[in-house]
Amino acid sequence: MYRTHNCGELRIADVGKEVKLSGWVQSNRDFGGMTFIDLRDRYGITQLVFNSEEDAALCERARKLGREFVISATGIVRERSNKNPNRATGDIEIDVKQLAVLNASRVPPFTIEDDTDGGDDLRMKYRYLDIRRPVVRENLVFRSKLAIETRKYLADEGFVEIETPNLIKSTPEGARDFVVPSRMNPGQFYALPQSPQTFKQILMVAGMDKYFQIVKCFRDEDLRADRQPEFTQIDCEMSFVTREEVLQTFEGLTKHLFREALGVELPDFPRMNYDEAIRKYGSDKPDLRFGMEFVELNDLAKGKGFGVFDNAGLIVGICAKGQAGEYSNKGIKELTEWVQRPQIGAKGLVYVKVNSDGSFKSSVGKFYSDEDLRQWAEAFGAEAGDMLLILSGEAEMTRKQLGELRLEMGRRMGLMKPGDYKPLWVVDFPLLEWDEEAGRFFAMHHPFTSPKPEDEQKMLSDDFETMKSLRANAYDLVINGAEIGGGSIRIHNRKLQEKNFKLLGFSQEEAEKQFGFLMGAFEYGAPPHGGIAFGFDRLCAVMKGQTSIRDFIAFPKNNMGRDVMIDAPSEIDPAQLEELGLKLVVE
Ligand code: ASP
């Protein structure tokens, strides 16, 4: 037997017991006659003591143990004279009588501590050492807990967990497919699923009623900081449901997960339609941990001789509470440069500081009287000490830029508090987005999303402006400014689905070739249905108040899409290529 207890469970009540522990050497401290070893496993750390007066040879062996050696130690639990209140086992130590080295270790390339000296690449290359660090380990344990609680909740709600294939053909979720050559069908390829979308709809046609799966999805996108080429969704679909029932079910799931995994009771989730989110926050995933709602100034600021505003489609700003005193001229200059960075792209930034004597200081003071500025301040509900930050230009772009500035101010002002959770349903997205350059519509969500019931008839018309105004029966779950989930009520009749493909620029043959199986299924009694998918990695990160999903994935890829531990992707054998009927044209 390797152990009687783990390294996290012994307490003062265990004093006097003979125990055996196994684990890794976290640290080894030699105090002349005494050697102290911190022994670590998944459950915690326990201090081992070796006394040379009791057993000089044993103590000498202990002294030689390096970091990360795997050992087992047998001894007696005793009360520590020098207790460590920061450790669950801090009241006790083990007076070791026997020691076995189970495996040696090379000196690890970085310290196995929460605050490690290892850089990203090194940590990923030696991910097995990285995962020994409590922070990473706890993230994975947390993720496991969420997965288990998800299954419990959905099973209680009558959902059936069904696996769908990984070798499929393209499902357009708006990204590129990863493809897999077929040896048995030379010249033909499978695609890895961007999501199980079409399969879960087929399962509804098949009468399964409530489906879920915690499933890997694959999207070959240019990687951004918070994207992974393979990621996990909690994927769900339900039959005979309206939007309301889907929202209730998954609001329930979210509340359940917060309650069970964090002990947090979430209140009912507010709802906001897409237009309002864009108008008030410049984003379809607003962070509601703070206000700073947009105020539009077109009526108040135009026609006073300031050309930039006079020519702007939209003049819109935010009020940064109490910030007037925080920003010197230099601070304003730095903030202006921040909005002018190419990632944000604003031309300039106008500020108005509300002074305590009722006067104003502003970069556009020569165009606007104090009375003008007073009216602005009133529109914002601004008080002495506040600072207005105003952008102008083409409406859509300006809102986006101000949305970024709002988030930046929220960050700077410490308004994104850890432990504060603000969920929100964003609803009523546009169904289609017109792409001027491509000269065609794109599906805002995906091609299977239905219009709102009242827009269904309109969709069958052929009027361009009508198409632009169609609303989707789609919804996103946003928490603290992160998109956690998205879904929709689906189209379930062939005629409407055909029309949608046509609007999206598919010829009839293309639509038939790619999605004939789904439209065919719609002809055999497809029930009304809808669903949603949560980004599981991101849900973990947001619940833990972190920004990177990588820290919640056991073996993530780097920003070049590489797994640096196994070194993938990599070349394959010429013989393997030949077998697949493939020839390399790039060397
Ligand atoms: N398949 C969709 C996605 O991956 C989710 C859904 O519509 O249920 O975003």
Side-chain angles (χ1 to χ4, degrees):
M1 191 165 74
Y2 286 107
R3 54 187 171 188
T4 55
H5 296 79
N6 65 49
C7 296
E9 69 176 314
L10 292 168
R11 299 288 183 274
I12 199 84
D14 298 302
V15 166
K17 283 187 189 158
E18 188 184 87
V19 297
K20 185 171 184 185
L21 302 183
S22 290
W24 288 262
V25 174
Q26 170 78 28
S27 68
N28 187 338
R29 299 179 308 274
D30 179 20
F31 289 101
M34 305 272 265
T35 292
F36 293 92
I37 285 183
D38 277 346
L39 190 66
R40 183 196 68 238
D41 66 9
R42 202 185 98 196
Y43 310 92
I45 292 180
T46 299
Q47 176 162 289
L48 310 180
V49 194
F50 301 81
N51 190 336
S52 68
E53 274 172 26
E54 271 175 38
D55 188 336
L58 182 69
C59 192
E60 183 53 23
R61 281 176 60 220
R63 227 169 48 81
K64 291 196 179 129
L65 295 174
R67 282 196 289 136
E68 301 310 313
F69 273 50
V70 185
I71 62 170
S72 68
T74 307
I76 308 296
V77 182
R78 71 178 187 208
E79 184 169 1
R80 257 166 91 160
S81 54
N82 186 3
K83 297 198 171 59
N84 179 352
N86 300 322
R87 200 176 268 176
T89 61
D91 286 351
I92 56 98
E93 61 193 6
I94 313 297
D95 180 15
V96 179
K97 306 294 180 205
Q98 277 172 26
L99 168 71
V101 176
L102 303 177
N103 216 336
S105 170
R106 295 173 63 180
V107 175
F110 49 85
T111 52
I112 313 293
E113 310 265 355
D114 282 355
D115 242 335
T116 180
D117 55 358
D120 246 19
D121 272 356
L122 206 56
R123 292 202 293 113
M124 291 307 145
K125 183 162 158 84
Y126 298 93
R127 186 64 163 168
Y128 42 89
L129 298 179
D130 198 29
I131 294 174
R132 286 184 198 165
R133 296 165 55 228
V135 267
V136 184
R137 178 183 77 215
E138 287 314 314
N139 284 348
L140 297 182
V141 172
F142 181 76
R143 180 187 175 106
S144 161
K145 167 120 182 128
L146 282 196
I148 290 167
E149 289 300 332
T150 298
R151 290 197 163 91
K152 276 196 207 161
Y153 175 88
L154 290 175
D156 275 353
E157 293 285 321
F159 282 79
V160 179
E161 184 169 10
I162 304 175
E163 290 170 87
T164 53
N166 274 343
L167 298 174
I168 65 165
K169 71 180 182 181
S170 172
T171 309
E173 296 271 2
R176 236 174 260 120
D177 287 320
F178 281 102
V179 294
V180 180
S182 162
R183 179 182 56 82
M184 285 191 289
N185 305 273
Q188 297 190 343
F189 296 81
Y190 301 100
L192 300 181
Q194 293 186 33
S195 84
Q197 185 62 36
T198 48
F199 286 96
K200 66 175 174 175
Q201 292 192 240
I202 295 271
L203 286 169
M204 294 304 104
V205 182
M208 289 311 297
D209 202 59
K210 288 178 174 181
Y211 140 96
F212 89 100
Q213 184 179 196
I214 299 180
V215 63
K216 274 294 178 71
C217 302
F218 305 86
R219 297 184 190 177
D220 187 6
E221 290 176 294
D222 295 333
L223 297 177
R224 282 192 255 136
D226 202 23
R227 288 269 167 92
Q228 285 280 313
E230 52 178 304
F231 59 98
T232 304
Q233 287 188 341
I234 304 171
D235 191 47
C236 307
E237 198 74 7
M238 307 165 82
S239 291
F240 304 111
V241 284
T242 58
R243 174 179 95 180
E244 191 54 37
E245 290 160 289
V246 179
L247 298 193
Q248 287 301 338
T249 304
F250 291 93
E251 186 164 324
L253 169 64
T254 311
K255 286 178 177 172
H256 175 84
L257 295 178
F258 271 82
R259 187 181 307 123
E260 296 303 320
L262 292 178
V264 168
E265 286 296 331
L266 293 179
D268 288 347
F269 302 0
R271 302 193 186 167
M272 192 181 290
N273 67 39
Y274 172 86
D275 287 340
E276 186 184 349
I278 298 289
R279 243 186 315 106
K280 283 193 178 160
Y281 303 99
S283 166
D284 60 1
K285 44 181 170 133
D287 189 332
L288 295 190
R289 281 175 295 179
F290 60 101
M292 252 195 257
E293 282 178 23
F294 291 9
V295 173
E296 299 186 4
L297 287 178
N298 281 21
D299 292 344
L300 292 176
K302 278 186 184 257
K304 304 276 177 165
F306 180 43
V308 175
F309 279 3
D310 287 345
N311 296 323
L314 179 70
I315 307 160
V316 60
I318 50 175
C319 173
K321 282 257 151 246
Q323 293 301 294
E326 304 294 319
Y327 284 81
S328 60
N329 287 345
K330 193 163 151 240
I332 296 279
K333 183 161 171 270
E334 183 269 333
L335 197 59
T336 307
E337 283 164 4
W338 190 89
V339 296
Q340 289 173 331
R341 296 178 325 152
Q343 301 94 306
I344 311 293
K347 291 230 172 58
L349 174 67
V350 166
Y351 75 89
V352 179
K353 288 182 182 177
V354 186
N355 297 326
S356 50
D357 62 1
S359 68
F360 299 92
K361 183 170 185 313
S362 170
S363 46
V364 291
K366 61 174 187 267
F367 298 101
Y368 299 94
S369 66
D370 269 8
E371 175 50 25
D372 292 330
L373 297 179
R374 196 196 55 73
Q375 287 181 14
W376 295 13
E378 191 179 298
F380 281 95
E383 301 165 338
D386 294 352
M387 178 169 69
L388 312 182
L389 297 169
I390 301 162
L391 298 180
S392 66
E394 186 272 321
E396 195 181 332
M397 223 166 58
T398 305
R399 287 196 175 102
K400 222 178 184 166
Q401 294 162 350
L402 190 64
E404 295 292 340
L405 178 61
R406 173 180 173 273
L407 289 178
E408 176 66 10
M409 292 310 291
R411 261 187 295 272
R412 291 182 182 204
M413 292 163 67
L415 301 175
M416 297 164 165
K417 297 214 176 64
D420 186 13
Y421 298 102
K422 285 288 177 317
L424 167 75
W425 288 112
V426 178
V427 298
D428 294 356
F429 287 81
L431 184 70
L432 304 163
E433 250 179 323
W434 177 251
D435 184 317
E436 204 55 67
E437 237 165 76
R440 53 162 276 212
F441 283 114
F442 281 87
M444 185 104 177
H445 184 218
H446 54 53
F448 314 106
T449 292
S450 75
K452 295 201 73 176
E454 60 270 27
D455 283 1
E456 234 170 76
Q457 272 313 311
K458 285 197 217 159
M459 192 172 163
L460 295 172
S461 90
D462 267 324
D463 179 57
F464 179 69
E465 288 304 320
T466 307
M467 294 305 125
K468 272 188 171 170
S469 72
L470 296 173
R471 294 284 129 181
N473 208 351
Y475 30 80
D476 274 0
L477 175 62
V478 176
I479 302 179
N480 293 357
E483 185 193 325
I484 296 299
S488 58
I489 300 299
R490 325 298 183 185
I491 296 172
H492 65 280
N493 84 53
R494 178 169 191 125
K495 196 158 132 217
L496 208 58
Q497 189 63 68
E498 272 177 351
K499 173 69 198 235
N500 206 21
F501 282 131
K502 193 169 153 211
L503 286 169
L504 297 173
F506 286 77
S507 72
Q508 210 172 346
E509 296 74 53
E510 282 167 343
E512 192 52 45
K513 192 159 167 234
Q514 268 199 64
F515 299 110
F517 68 95
L518 183 67
M519 291 190 290
F522 286 173
E523 293 178 294
Y524 288 91
H529 61 283
I532 193 166
F534 279 18
F536 187 52
D537 315 286
R538 188 159 306 156
L539 177 66
C540 294
V542 167
M543 286 180 76
K544 280 292 197 178
Q546 296 182 25
T547 47
S548 167
I549 63 171
R550 255 202 250 176
D551 297 335
F552 292 86
I553 298 174
F555 301 104
K557 307 223 168 3
N558 74 7
N559 351 349
M560 294 301 294
R562 298 201 70 84
D563 181 322
V564 292
M565 183 180 75
I566 59 172
D567 192 25
S570 58
E571 279 101 39
I572 58 171
D573 208 58
Q576 224 175 336
L577 273 181
E578 194 173 328
E579 199 173 41
L580 293 167
L582 296 177
K583 207 154 109 198
L584 271 194
V585 287
V586 273
E587 289 298 330

